[in-house]
Amino acid sequence: MNFAGMNYLAILVAAIVAFVIGAIYYSTLTKSWMKAARLDPAGPKPAMAPLMITTFILELGLAFVTAGIIGHLGAGQVTLSNGIISGLFIWAGIIFTTMTINQRYQNFGWDLTLIDGLHWLLVMIGIGATIGLFGV
């Protein structure tokens, strides 16, 4: 199940891993995250099904791009350690920096940045590790 070095089964599993990480992470930090995001628990709730579907599709895209980046390391380089290291680089250089800039302009506190940043760090470690474990 691979094409041009991309293992589609690994990508699908990595997206599932990312989704599960987010579900567990935010379910344990719901109150802290809502406070940091300035959301009123008694306020209107978004429709969850479209939100969850969108989240999974976007995490699938993130896993696909991550697999492509790891695959560019060369033949035989899609390994657990290279997957984790690549995930860390993507998080530190792209995800965390962009998220932090956006949250500064949106006038959110560092508490939200730390909560969301840790979530994305765990997600990228999970995606990178999954892609690396599957290899090509």
Side-chain angles (χ1 to χ4, degrees):
M1 286 189 72
N2 62 40
F3 173 75
M6 306 273 281
N7 184 325
Y8 293 124
L9 179 59
I11 291 166
L12 176 62
V13 172
I16 293 168
V17 166
F19 192 84
V20 169
I21 287 170
I24 293 169
Y25 182 82
Y26 282 110
S27 69
T28 60
L29 292 174
T30 301
K31 290 180 182 178
S32 298
W33 178 79
M34 288 188 77
K35 181 180 177 191
R38 301 181 195 136
L39 296 173
D40 180 4
K45 308 279 187 272
M48 291 307 288
L51 187 57
M52 294 297 126
I53 292 168
T54 300
T55 299
F56 183 76
I57 290 170
L58 293 173
E59 288 178 334
L60 190 59
L62 182 58
F64 180 84
V65 170
T66 302
I69 291 170
I70 296 169
H72 274 81
L73 295 174
Q77 295 301 309
V78 182
T79 64
L80 176 61
S81 61
N82 283 342
I84 292 170
I85 291 167
S86 296
L88 290 170
F89 273 116
I90 293 166
W91 174 80
I94 300 169
I95 294 174
F96 188 70
T97 54
T98 305
M99 182 192 69
T100 302
I101 291 167
N102 285 348
Q103 289 183 354
R104 296 295 64 77
Y105 277 98
Q106 294 164 346
N107 203 28
F108 283 109
W110 283 100
D111 52 349
L112 181 62
T113 303
L114 293 175
I115 292 169
D116 287 345
L118 181 56
H119 161 254
W120 288 114
L121 174 61
L122 296 172
V123 164
M124 290 312 301
I125 291 170
I127 288 175
T130 302
I131 299 296
L133 280 172
F134 273 79
V136 265

